[in-house]
Each structure stands twice: as structure tokens, then as C-alpha cells.
Amino acid sequence: MSGTYLGLPSFPKAAHDSTRDTQLRANLTHATHTIRTKRATAINELTDWPQLRAAGAAIKDHTLHHLDHYLLQLEAAVTAAGGTVHWALDANEANTIATQIIKNTGETEVVKIKSMTTQETGLNHALETAGIHAYETDLAELIVQLANDKPSHILVPAIHKNRTEIRDIFTTHMTHWGRPAPDNLTDNPTDLAEAARLHLREKFLNTKIGISGANFMIAETGTMVILESEGNGRMCLTLPDTLITIAGIEKIIPTYQDLEVFLQTLPRSSTAERMNPYTSLWTGTTPHDGPHTFHLILLDNGRTDTLADTTGQQALRCIRCSACLNVCPVYERAGGHAYGSPYPGPIGAILTPQLRGTTTPLDTSLPYASTLCGACYDVCPVAINIPQVLVHLRERITQGGPTTTHGTRTTIQPAKGHRLERTTMRATRWTLNHPTALQHAHNLATHTRHLHPQHLPGPAHHWTDTRNLPPLPPHTFRHWWQHHHQTPPTTNTGKGTDTRSETATDTGTDTGTAGTDTGTGTGTGTNTQTDGGPQQ
Amino acid sequence: MRVALFLTCVNDLLYPDTGRAVVTLLERLGVEVDFPLDQTCCGQAHYNTGYRHETEPLARRHARVFAGYDYVVTPSGSCAAMVRDNYPRLGARARDEGRGDELAKALAGVPKTYELTEFLVDVLKVTDVGAYFPHTVTYHPTCHGLRMLRLGDRPRRLLEAVKGIELRELEGAEECCGFGGTFSVKNPDVSAAMGDDKVRNAESTGAEVLCAADNSCLMHLGGMMSRQKSRVRPVHLAEILASTEQRPLELPDQAGPVHVTTGSTVGEQR
Amino acid sequence: MTTNTSRDEILRRIRQALGTPTPTTPPDPTTIPRNYLTTHAHRTPQQTTNLLADNLTDYRATVHRTTETHLPHTIANLLTHHGTQRAITPPGLPPHWLTHITTPLTTTTTDTHPDPHTLDTIDTVITHSALAIAETGTIILDASPDQGHRAITLIPDHHICIITPDHIVESLPQALPRLNPTRPQTWISGPSATSDIELTRIEGVHGPRTLDVIIVTAEPSTAPAETVSDEPSA
């Protein structure tokens, strides 16, 4: 992905700051809860939601499993309709192709529709380097661009800014980009929208090149589909002479009929509307209507590597609705920027490490940016099992294993920084697989419970920074069961013996490190208080 | 009916009272309960942190220990979900790795694992378990119970039938508490922020007790409430259901790092 | 790296990922389950029209109902009410719809691009529509001669859109088979809107801020009685 996201801190480090930003927290809570509630209402209108969801997932899976076929069909259809199709292996190549197309026209300005794909490739920066100014025209993207900021939400990119901040951004920065903000601009949203309308209209009427992404590309007809609300998309798609569309290869769907599924599920999942205000469909070029030149750049940039992972490939079903962000309790507290990519929230946590690989502290932290609560999977209109993929990617980080990088099959090593955790996991696994050792460890822990620290050492201090430890009872349950509970007459003969299991099925990877810490991953210390625990 | 209690490692060491409550409750309902002593841990923490290969021996042990029972019952939604949802995945992944069907077959022997409220409502077909708990209670449906097991209104129906109880609605009930196993240590700030919100919502109900059907969530929330000297007490649902007029569950009356203890009453019944 | 090489490489990577070194066999899309509904209720035509009107109104379009006879009056009145100084129409709009208009009127031609700067000086555009979907409150324009170039319904700030009875369907699955996907289509559900500032909905950012929808209904004298068949009484 883009260089603009290089060098960002890991998710927990970024979240350390953002969770303390009370304004951000308030904005996010208000926004996500509002959309969440509205979405539930919109979806409840459709009694066949589960069927639509299953059909959407099936269409996407079917397409992915025949992706070469459908891409070639799309290429043929777009070409027949007067368009030109380009293929880009990575972000750089896509940006270079787009830059060259623009340079060939002699133009130095372009208008853009909100496009996550061009954020992913860092197109604006690449164009700027080539002396081409790209104007974002979605209201929120305009705000973000004027403020030299980054989007923080898929649907509402400036969700982290409130009206006063937006007024100040317009007043200060519009003048450097074109028509200045009106004098004495208020922070009334209607006035702010009017200022944006006036500022952008001169761009729309005069700019000869438009750049867009695509929500869907229909293979059988070569038709592009874009959903939007403000009309800036229609402006960019209709008024320029040249239109350049950059889209990931996973945006393809086989047939026009398939839209009957996605045009029901996407708006309701995204803006919680029955239908978004504007949807545009175009096929190549149309004489005397709209751009006379159309270029489609098909982007890989990690998508084929993602496709090669049978568990992770379901992330390519994503239709970018952002429903998962709006229900995610982690996103709500950490904010979009902590995810360090154009794709924030739960979907970003599984998409980014697959597209970019797991080589940086940020990208290895993303699969852990979830409690696995499952709210994202519940709302996903294409049924991406995000928790399942998160765990799968955690495994790639901790264990390494076979993967595909830049089209080459390879075996990656476990990521750095997990040595202590790996040792602990191995030791606890050994102990937990040897009940006698476990019982000894339990006994040791309970007998020394008055000596246990109230504040845990090492990474576990994060637990005791904000929480007390549960008091360790004087005896375990099994102690009580063995000593005080009469064993039922139907003893489960053969199941109590453990001699086989202690050795036979051990994978042999450990070296007998039966850690004395009986940790189960959830903390085992106690405070020194004499408790009113169970008395026998 | 051969019923095995799958208590979970956390409950065994830290919350033995919950285990006793389950035994008391089930025996009161005429169920003969066994506790296979070789059980340890289902491997959830290992699996969810990305250590699938470390999970496998624990899953094999679990399958071996519980094979042959008619029912396995556990007072933990997340551990039930681990066995039901993720054990088949362990087998499938082993197959993907060219290790054949052996692991899948080994893990297929686990009898159906029921979370406690499922077992009560679906198998025993009871909602009124004869419990008595004259306190105000707010209920937090844990994520795995809510979204993986789809427990639905089972816990609520059980609580509503408890004599003397007064239930209070918890705002944002369906939202995660922020525990998430190792998440609470790997992402401490977000975890604490989520926990704070849950605690605040629990406190604003005015209830004395925050009830859930999973002690790991209650360990996190209870730890926060204790640190913040909240007057709300975390109590596992099983302990409320085990409480009777003859042997009522008593709540400690002071804030502090003490979790509710029920052992004396429940344990002495036998 | 040339794009031709990238094309080959992307296709190679896909086939490697799918475990199919040669092009995949022609897919069979009939395996996709399509057991979702084609419409979400049983409705009479009148109920469908009412639903369309309700949903359009819900998304802040202004709905007017009139008969074919009264349509020219309705259009003229809306122009007057809006204070329109200049209006534009596509070439294929039925001329008798416009007989009561006194406002200066431009008509586009099919074989030239309309000039966006000129369109920016025009207050109102009047068009027919290809189709309307009741369940979602959506109007579809497909650039036919009675709807015109996409730009003419975009730049003027006021759009009067006419829906005739035979162009109303209940649902999306009913709509798609009646449309030609290769025509440039614009689907409109209410006026241009944004919620980008603190989620406050504001009508009109770039597209028309006012959307007047005229639903043409059957003449009262010839209208069939709107009845749902009565159950015989027991």
C-alpha cells in the first residue's frame, strides 16, 4: 500500500493517545451509534435479509473462484464499449499509468470522487510529484484534504472533525486551493455545505479529467457502478473529457442481475438508507454524453496474494459498506487513524495485513485489534467471518507458515516480538496438558497466595494498571470435588487415566519447560487480602 | 443421563464457587454430575492468540476426557463456543496441512457441549429452577453467548423466574465488555475504555449485582469495579440460580477486591 | 514493467492462487442461491404507487400527483412556484406536456454535448424517467431522448421529474430486467444530500437541491376501481 502510511506506530500505541481524546471519542460514539441504530431499522424492513446476505457472499465467492475468467470478460466488454483497460500489479504501477494518461492530455488538474483504492495507492501524492493537482470533491474528503489530514472512516471520512473545526479549516485553507470560503462563514452545516458547493463548482465546470474508483464492475457488460450521495460523483463522471477509473480486481461481479442483491444490501448497510441518493452506471463511452475517453486500471496490489489464502480470501468479498466499523467497540474507542491504512475498523484489521503483509509493528498488531466479539460478522452484508480471519492472521504472526507474497509461495517466519509470549504459551500448554503438574502448580499458587504481588510484572502489568486481580481462593474447585464431593457411583472408568495423554500426544516441541506459573492467559495472581473465600 | 461438568481452567482456579453452584443447581434438578478430573483447559486462549499448534494437544485431551458422556455442560459461553466452533476448524486446518483426518476424527468424539443456560432450557426444559435471590440485578450477555452460541433470551428467562429478583435493563448490553482474553493485555487502553463504559452503564442501573454467564468477562469487569470501588458486585449467573431461600447467596457489603463468595453456603450442602 | 506483462502476471497469480494453472473452466453461476424475494409484499398498483410516493417523500423529494390532462398545468405551476427564470428540456419530452409553460425554455439536441457553463445558468430541468422503484423510492434515468444527457439533470438546481404509470415497478429485482445496462444510467433517490458534518443531513451539495416528482395517475373517469377482492362472508 501507500508510502503515506509508512512508519506509523502499532495499533496499541496509537490507541493509547486516541482513547484519551475526549472530543474524538464523543464524535465517534455519536456517529457510530446513530448509524448503527438506523441500519438496524433499514435492514429490518427486508424479511429476506439472510437470503440476500447469503446470495451476496455466494456471488462474490463464485467470482473470486473464477476471477481470471471474469476479468478477461470484463476487459473484452469494456474495450468493445470504447474504453481502454490497463492492468497494474501494484500501487506504483497504477499511479504511473494514471500519471501518464493525464500527462498525455497536457492537463495539470483532476477532480476526484472519494476512492479508497486511490488512497491505498497514494495516487494524490504521486500526482503531486508529477506536477498534477488532484482535487477531492466528496465533502468529507475535501475537509480531510484541506486539513492535510487522513480519512478515519470509510463512509464518513471526517467523522473525527466537528463543525467548528470544519469551519476553521474552510476559512483557513480554501483560499489556497481555489475559491475562498465566504466571509464570516458560520459553523452551521448548511452554510458549510454551501461553501463547499461554491468552492467545488468551479472545479467541476473547468476540469477536464475525472478520477474515480468503482463499487462494482459488471463483467458481462463492462459496466461500472458507483454509489454516492452528494452528486460530486456524478459531476466527476459526467463533465470531464477523460475519465480514469482505478479499481481493485475484486470489485467485479458477473452479471447485471447481480446488482439486485448488492443494491439492496450495500445502501442499507452503509448509510442505512433504502437507497443512496445517486447511483451512476456507465459502460465505456457514450457519444455526446459524458467523457469521450475512458480508462480502467485494474489493480492487484496484494489481492492475488490474499486470494491464495483459503481462509483469508473472504476479505475480498468486502463491498466497503463500513457496517463493521459502526458496530465495532474497538473502532469506536480507538478511532480510524489507529488502523494506519485507508481501511479502518474490523475489515481493515484483516484486509491491511493481507494486502501489505505482516512485516511492520503496525501490520502485525492489527489482527490483535479486536476482542473477537463477533459484532462485525453479524452485520456484514457479505458474511465475512472477520473473527475467524483475525485468528488465522494471528496464527500467521505467531507461528509463521506458508503464504504467498508478490505472487510467490513462501514460508514466513514468526513475527518478531513474540518470544516471551510464545514461551509462555508453550509452558502453559505443557502444564495444562499434564494435570499432575497443573495440580502442583495450583497448590503452589494457592499456598503462596499471600505473597503474590498486587501489581503484575512484565506485559501483564497492563492488567493491574486498571483492574484489581480476583482474589485467589484457598482451594481450587477440583480440590473441593476430590475432598468434599462424593464421587458419583458411575465413575467414568478409563477417562480419568491420564498416563497416555501426558506423553503420547505431546508434539514434542517443548523441552519440558513446565513453567511454575500456572497462567492460563488470564492472570493467576492474587492480592494479599485475606478473603472471605469458601470455607470448608 | 451421563452429564460431565466442563468447568474451565479459569473457574477451577479462580472461581471454584461457580463450579460448586453448577453442581448444586444440577443436582437439585436431579441431574447426576461428574467432574472428570483430567480436564484442564480447552485451549481457547492459545487458539485465539494465534497458537493453533499449541492448542492441538489441549483439544485432544479435552476430547479424550469428555468422550462417552451424554452431555457436557459448562458455565462459560466462550469455552463452549471454542469447543463447538473452533475444534472442527482445528481438524480442517490439520487436513489442509496434509496431516490427514486423524485430528478431525480425534476431536469429533466430544459430545455436544452445552453452555449452562442452554442445558437448563433446551435439555432439562426448565426456566424456573427454584432459585431465590432478593436483589437488584443487571444482566450482561457476553459476546460469545450472544453471537456465537445464540443464547438469545435463555439467560433472561431463567433470571426472570428467580424469586425475589429485580432485573434492571443494562444500556448497551450487547456491546463487548473489552476483555477479549489476551486483548486485555495487548490493547490495554481500548480494553479499559470499553470496560469503563460497561461499568458506568452497570452503575447507572442502580443494581447491586452485575450478572453474566462467563467469569472471564466478570473477572475483567469485577477487577475494574473493585479498583474503582464501585458498589456493584459481579456474580456469575450459576450462583444466582443456585441460591435458594434455605441457602441464600450473600453479597459482601463492602467495595474492595473481593469477589462474591458463596462457597460456605453452597458447599456445605453436601 | 509494461502493462501487458502485468496482465499476464496477474492472471498467472490468480490461477496459481486458485490452483488452476490453465484458465478456469467457464463458470456455472446457477449454483448461486437466489432464494431472496422478488418483492417484499403483495400490492395493488395503487398501493405500489402510494409506496413510491411515501418513499420519495421520506427522502425529501416533493411528490405531486396529477393526471395526464393536468400535467401541463402542474409543470407550469411548479416552474412559477420555484421562480424559474430559465428551464431546459431534453429533445424527446412530449411537447404537449409543455404547452402551459411561459418560462424561457431551452431544448437540448442529442448530437452535441451540452455546455456545462450554460447549464450552470439554468434554474430548472424537466425530464421524463425510465423507471421508478417503489420499495426504495428510486427514479431511474437512462439518457433516453425524453431524459437527455446526464449533465442536464445534474447542474441545474431544480429537477422536475415525471413518472408515468407504466414505468413504476415494485422492487429492484423487478426493475433490472426492464433496463438496458449499457445505457448510461442515473439512479436518483431524493435530492443530493450529505451527512458528512456531524451526521447532519443537508439536502443539496452538488446535484439539484430541489427534486419535484410528478406521478401521473390515470384519469379519474376511466380509473378502474381500486379494490382488493373481498373474501366471501361466512
Side-chain angles (χ1 to χ4, degrees):
Chain A
M1 280 198 216
S2 152
T4 54
Y5 288 97
L6 280 179
L8 290 176
S10 70
F11 185 86
K13 283 202 173 113
H16 177 77
D17 295 332
S18 53
T19 48
R20 284 161 176 76
D21 184 339
T22 49
Q23 178 71 57
L24 176 68
R25 289 274 302 275
N27 290 0
L28 285 170
T29 300
H30 168 66
T32 55
H33 285 247
T34 304
I35 306 175
R36 189 187 301 181
T37 310
K38 275 182 67 186
R39 175 206 161 270
T41 309
I43 273 139
N44 285 339
E45 282 187 5
L46 299 185
T47 50
D48 58 340
W49 185 258
Q51 289 80 16
L52 286 166
R53 185 174 186 249
I59 292 166
K60 280 287 186 177
D61 279 351
H62 169 83
T63 313
L64 290 170
H65 293 153
H66 301 87
L67 192 55
D68 55 340
H69 171 89
Y70 285 121
L71 282 168
L72 291 172
Q73 190 184 13
L74 175 78
E75 180 186 49
V78 170
T79 307
T84 308
V85 178
H86 311 259
W87 303 64
L89 269 175
D90 56 24
N92 257 343
E93 190 175 10
N95 293 345
T96 304
I97 294 167
T99 305
Q100 200 54 52
I101 293 167
I102 298 163
K103 287 205 155 187
N104 289 346
T105 66
E107 295 293 328
T108 57
E109 295 188 333
V110 300
V111 284
K112 285 185 68 203
I113 314 173
K114 183 175 92 169
S115 147
M116 303 181 69
T117 310
T118 62
Q119 284 163 26
E120 178 189 325
T121 66
L123 178 66
N124 289 9
H125 180 73
L127 292 179
E128 202 64 45
T129 308
I132 299 162
H133 302 294
Y135 300 113
E136 294 291 349
T137 63
D138 172 80
L139 177 53
E141 292 285 349
L142 173 70
I143 294 164
V144 166
Q145 184 177 43
L146 291 174
N148 194 25
D149 196 355
K150 287 197 176 68
S152 66
H153 190 283
I154 289 177
L155 171 69
V156 214
I159 200 169
H160 56 291
K161 299 283 187 198
N162 63 27
R163 62 181 71 191
T164 310
E165 292 171 305
I166 294 166
R167 193 267 316 274
D168 294 345
I169 291 165
F170 280 10
T171 304
T172 309
H173 296 291
M174 267 187 175
T175 185
H176 305 302
W177 290 77
R179 179 173 173 147
D183 292 337
N184 306 317
L185 180 63
T186 75
D187 64 2
N188 181 316
T190 307
D191 293 343
L192 294 170
E194 175 69 13
R197 179 187 177 98
L198 294 170
H199 176 81
L200 287 172
R201 184 142 298 209
E202 67 173 23
K203 307 282 187 217
F204 291 136
L205 296 182
N206 297 311
T207 308
K208 301 295 178 202
I209 299 185
I211 295 184
S212 82
N215 291 104
F216 303 101
M217 306 186 285
I218 303 169
E220 69 170 352
T221 57
T223 304
M224 305 287 125
V225 185
I226 280 192
L227 286 71
E228 54 138 352
S229 297
E230 295 173 6
N232 65 306
R234 293 179 66 193
M235 292 279 182
C236 295
L237 298 171
T238 311
L239 300 184
D241 297 335
T242 300
L243 174 60
I244 304 169
T245 296
I246 305 180
I249 51 176
E250 84 285 12
K251 292 294 183 68
I252 205 162
I253 56 175
T255 67
Y256 184 58
Q257 189 197 355
D258 294 324
L259 282 181
E260 72 191 18
V261 175
F262 297 111
L263 291 185
Q264 292 193 73
T265 54
L266 177 52
R268 287 174 202 261
S269 299
S270 181
T271 55
E273 294 168 303
R274 291 181 202 101
M275 190 66 85
N276 48 295
Y278 295 135
T279 299
S280 293
L281 288 78
W282 75 98
T283 308
T285 55
T286 305
H288 311 298
D289 191 343
H292 54 64
T293 307
F294 172 59
H295 293 272
L296 172 63
I297 303 174
L298 297 170
L299 177 71
D300 181 344
N301 207 35
R303 286 160 176 79
T304 50
D305 290 347
T306 308
L307 182 68
D309 187 309
T310 50
T311 302
Q313 67 174 213
Q314 57 185 304
L316 297 177
R317 288 183 203 150
C318 176
I319 54 174
R320 311 285 189 263
C321 71
S322 73
C324 62
L325 278 65
N326 296 325
V327 296
C328 179
V330 176
Y331 173 85
E332 183 186 333
R333 272 99 186 162
H337 290 157
Y339 294 83
S341 96
Y343 307 110
I347 186 62
I350 62 168
L351 198 52
T352 305
Q354 296 200 86
L355 295 179
R356 284 203 297 225
T358 47
T359 53
T360 67
L362 169 62
D363 292 337
T364 53
S365 71
L366 286 176
Y368 292 96
S370 166
T371 62
L372 307 178
C373 84
C376 49
Y377 178 32
D378 262 14
V379 298
C380 179
V382 285
I384 302 170
N385 190 334
I386 292 176
Q388 184 198 4
V389 181
L390 285 167
V391 170
H392 176 71
L393 294 174
R394 291 175 185 189
E395 185 187 317
R396 182 182 295 179
I397 289 160
T398 60
Q399 294 188 174
T403 183
T404 304
T405 307
H406 305 309
T408 305
R409 285 182 178 147
T410 178
T411 298
I412 56 166
Q413 295 302 308
K416 289 176 183 154
H418 290 262
R419 190 185 302 157
L420 173 65
E421 179 183 274
R422 194 174 302 114
T423 307
T424 309
M425 285 292 173
R426 190 167 292 170
T428 53
R429 188 266 301 152
W430 189 92
T431 311
L432 289 165
N433 201 25
H434 294 75
T436 317
L438 178 66
Q439 191 147 359
H440 286 142
H442 278 175
N443 291 343
L444 182 65
T446 50
H447 289 149
T448 60
R449 63 202 181 104
H450 302 301
L451 304 174
H452 292 189
Q454 294 227 28
H455 294 276
L456 294 173
H461 80 81
H462 288 306
W463 179 273
T464 46
D465 282 350
T466 51
R467 310 167 190 87
N468 287 336
L469 290 163
L472 193 63
H475 298 292
T476 60
F477 174 85
R478 69 179 62 228
H479 180 273
W480 171 81
W481 178 271
Q482 286 170 297
H483 292 85
H484 301 278
H485 191 276
Q486 191 177 2
T487 308
T490 54
T491 49
N492 201 19
T493 51
K495 295 190 178 58
T497 55
D498 191 48
T499 47
R500 279 179 308 153
S501 55
E502 296 233 353
T503 51
T505 58
D506 221 325
T507 56
T509 50
D510 66 279
T511 52
T513 48
T516 51
D517 186 326
T518 63
T520 56
T522 49
T524 57
T526 184
N527 53 58
T528 56
Q529 173 165 349
T530 46
D531 63 270
Q535 320 289 312
Q536 291 303 317
Chain B
M1 189 190 288
R2 287 163 51 76
V3 176
L5 170 62
F6 159 35
L7 184 60
T8 82
C9 55
V10 169
N11 286 327
D12 185 13
L13 180 64
L14 296 172
Y15 299 97
D17 294 347
T18 299
R20 294 185 213 179
V22 175
V23 173
T24 304
L25 173 65
L26 292 180
E27 290 183 347
R28 194 170 78 213
L29 296 170
V31 177
E32 191 179 277
V33 188
D34 192 12
F35 178 79
L37 281 165
D38 285 340
Q39 65 176 288
T40 56
C41 169
C42 63
Q44 184 186 191
H46 291 76
Y47 182 79
N48 282 349
T49 312
Y51 295 88
R52 176 167 57 86
H53 289 149
E54 299 291 348
T55 311
E56 287 180 8
L58 300 176
R60 286 177 191 277
R61 154 176 299 283
H62 187 91
R64 214 165 42 235
V65 168
F66 288 99
Y69 286 97
D70 297 322
Y71 299 97
V72 177
V73 180
T74 180
S76 165
S78 63
C79 296
M82 173 70 194
V83 174
R84 270 160 45 175
D85 285 13
N86 291 330
Y87 277 18
R89 286 197 186 117
L90 289 175
R93 294 284 288 143
R95 201 180 297 124
D96 291 348
E97 289 170 343
R99 291 190 277 139
D101 283 342
E102 187 274 327
L103 182 61
K105 282 180 183 158
L107 300 184
V110 193
K112 177 152 188 199
T113 303
Y114 288 83
E115 188 276 336
L116 176 64
T117 66
E118 286 177 313
F119 185 72
L120 294 172
V121 175
D122 298 355
V123 179
L124 300 185
K125 305 203 183 299
V126 289
T127 46
D128 184 349
V129 296
Y132 169 73
F133 192 66
H135 299 280
T136 48
V137 173
T138 191
Y139 177 71
H140 166 58
T142 59
C143 298
H144 291 176
L146 195 65
R147 284 179 280 267
M148 289 176 84
L149 301 180
R150 305 280 170 198
L151 295 184
D153 65 353
R154 292 179 186 85
R156 186 162 190 99
R157 282 157 64 197
L158 288 159
L159 281 171
E160 280 169 351
V162 173
K163 202 173 161 192
I165 204 167
E166 183 189 334
L167 288 174
R168 302 263 172 95
E169 283 303 323
L170 179 64
E171 193 189 326
E174 74 293 342
E175 262 203 44
C176 178
C177 69
F179 172 58
T182 48
F183 176 84
S184 58
V185 173
K186 285 176 179 286
N187 281 284
D189 297 294
V190 178
S191 175
M194 290 165 67
D196 272 336
D197 290 345
K198 185 63 76 179
V199 169
R200 194 176 318 115
N201 284 336
E203 284 181 332
S204 69
T205 65
E208 298 164 83
V209 166
L210 173 63
C211 171
D214 216 319
N215 271 332
S216 42
C217 307
L218 287 178
M219 179 171 67
H220 160 70
L221 293 171
M224 298 199 87
M225 294 192 293
S226 165
R227 178 65 58 89
Q228 295 171 16
K229 305 204 183 309
S230 168
R231 47 173 228 88
V232 185
R233 301 285 175 275
V235 182
H236 192 285
L237 176 67
E239 300 185 36
I240 291 177
L241 297 181
S243 173
T244 57
E245 287 184 83
Q246 294 73 35
R247 299 275 179 184
L249 171 66
E250 286 173 15
L251 299 178
D253 54 10
Q254 274 187 321
V258 181
H259 84 276
V260 175
T261 57
T262 60
S264 54
T265 53
V266 176
E268 282 164 4
Q269 279 182 292
R270 23 198 34 89
Chain C
M1 191 175 282
T2 69
T3 53
N4 270 343
T5 313
S6 295
R7 179 181 186 271
D8 295 343
E9 174 63 10
I10 289 172
L11 292 170
R12 183 196 71 78
R13 289 181 182 186
I14 291 168
R15 287 163 189 159
Q16 175 184 272
L18 298 174
T20 49
T22 52
T24 52
T25 49
D28 174 18
T30 58
T31 55
I32 295 166
R34 294 189 188 272
N35 53 347
Y36 47 84
L37 302 173
T38 50
T39 168
H40 289 86
H42 295 289
R43 305 178 185 96
T44 64
Q46 183 62 44
Q47 287 170 328
T48 301
T49 304
N50 290 346
L51 179 66
L52 173 65
D54 288 349
N55 284 340
L56 283 164
T57 307
D58 195 25
Y59 284 156
R60 323 275 174 97
T62 310
V63 176
H64 313 269
R65 299 208 211 194
T66 190
T67 60
E68 176 105 28
T69 311
H70 284 90
L71 180 59
H73 293 279
T74 308
I75 293 172
N77 286 345
L78 284 173
L79 291 174
T80 307
H81 183 258
H82 189 74
T84 300
Q85 301 292 312
R86 295 184 63 194
I88 193 165
T89 57
L93 206 65
H96 64 275
W97 287 3
L98 307 170
T99 47
H100 287 65
I101 293 178
T102 55
T103 312
L105 197 63
T106 309
T107 302
T108 58
T109 53
T110 48
D111 56 356
T112 52
H113 268 88
D115 173 45
H117 289 94
T118 307
L119 290 174
D120 201 27
T121 65
I122 288 173
D123 304 304
T124 299
V125 57
I126 307 157
T127 71
H128 194 197
S129 55
L131 211 59
I133 306 174
E135 286 188 358
T136 57
T138 302
I139 300 160
I140 299 170
L141 308 179
D142 69 357
S144 294
D146 56 357
Q147 297 148 56
H149 298 88
R150 284 174 282 172
I152 70 167
T153 54
L154 175 60
I155 298 178
D157 202 17
H158 177 212
H159 182 189
I160 298 174
C161 186
I162 295 141
I163 300 172
T164 43
D166 52 330
H167 287 195
I168 299 174
V169 296
E170 290 185 82
S171 67
L172 264 149
Q174 289 179 5
L176 292 172
R178 292 184 52 169
L179 294 164
N180 177 351
T182 60
R183 296 195 65 81
Q185 288 175 24
T186 305
W187 295 36
I188 300 171
S189 308
S192 160
T194 186
S195 300
D196 275 348
I197 302 168
E198 298 181 9
L199 294 185
T200 309
R201 187 178 168 99
I202 304 157
E203 259 80 59
V205 192
H206 304 299
R209 281 182 278 201
T210 308
L211 175 62
D212 278 311
V213 178
I214 304 175
I215 300 177
V216 179
T217 52
E219 301 293 336
S221 53
T222 59
E226 281 295 338
T227 52
V228 182
S229 63
D230 292 325
E231 295 286 333
S233 338

